[in-house]
Amino acid sequence: EFRLRYLPILLTYFCYGASAMASVALVFFEKDSLGLTPAEVAEIGFWLGLPWGMKMVAGVASDVYPIFGSRRGAYLLLGSLCSLVGYAALATVVETKGLFLITMLLVTVGFMIQDVVADALSVEVAENDAQLAQIQALGRMALLVGGIAVSYLGGWLAGRIGARGVFAVAMVLPLIVTAS
């Protein structure tokens, strides 16, 4: 059965999935605004994959080094802030490949931290293995629903309001996580 304490976890996963909304806008932004070559896009993709390899380090940090006494909430806010600042920069000031890489790293690190915290919270709120399995299954469903829910919307928005507009809309996602 669903419990209210699952909601922050599920909203975090949903928002991570819904971040796919920006994927079409990113393609147009990389090509039209920044004029990146396919090789440069691949190079940036390499760097954006690295934070996901650091998930275990972030998990240990959130367990061992509380921020203002908080091992989960503060890290969730930190991850949300990183993604929010990254999307805000994409929506407003990014004009160069280097700044694009930095802001995309902020977005990626933000979502990686949020994912780590959601995983840790799943273990903490579960009272037994059956509940943990349920939370994990619901989390994966929330991730998929988030991605599916915005698939068409991302392309439609990119055509209507442009890449920067989509990045501005995407700023709502870390705010939803913060509110949860």
Side-chain angles (χ1 to χ4, degrees):
E1 70 189 63
F2 179 81
R3 295 202 161 84
L4 192 57
R5 66 179 181 249
Y6 300 172
L7 196 56
I9 299 163
L10 300 180
L11 281 173
T12 299
Y13 286 129
F14 175 84
C15 288
Y16 174 49
S19 70
M21 170 180 33
S23 61
V24 171
L26 281 169
V27 171
F28 284 107
F29 190 73
E30 290 167 340
K31 182 176 73 68
D32 298 338
S33 297
L34 299 176
L36 299 179
T37 67
E40 290 172 318
V41 172
E43 176 186 341
I44 289 170
F46 165 79
W47 291 107
L48 297 181
L50 292 179
W52 292 102
M54 302 298 291
K55 274 184 70 172
M56 291 172 49
V57 173
V60 169
S62 73
D63 286 341
V64 177
Y65 302 107
I67 299 174
F68 302 118
S70 171
R71 292 183 311 132
R72 302 294 178 242
Y75 278 89
L76 197 57
L77 292 174
L78 177 64
S80 295
L81 180 64
C82 288
S83 294
L84 180 66
V85 169
Y87 279 135
L90 287 168
T92 57
V93 299
V94 173
E95 299 287 342
T96 66
K97 176 183 159 186
L99 191 54
F100 177 69
L101 174 60
I102 291 168
T103 57
M104 285 304 299
L105 279 170
L106 270 174
V107 171
T108 303
V109 166
F111 278 117
M112 181 271 295
I113 293 170
Q114 292 171 61
D115 185 61
V116 165
V117 172
D119 291 346
L121 284 172
S122 298
V123 174
E124 288 181 6
V125 302
E127 295 172 5
N128 55 47
D129 287 342
Q131 277 189 11
L132 179 59
Q134 180 186 23
I135 295 167
Q136 289 174 336
L138 289 171
R140 294 303 161 246
M141 288 189 323
L143 183 75
L144 289 171
V145 168
I148 292 167
V150 301
S151 294
Y152 179 78
L153 177 64
W156 184 82
L157 282 174
R160 296 279 191 261
I161 61 175
R164 290 193 189 270
V166 173
F167 301 142
V169 171
M171 290 170 58
V172 171
L173 298 172
L175 294 175
I176 291 171
V177 172
T178 299
S180 75

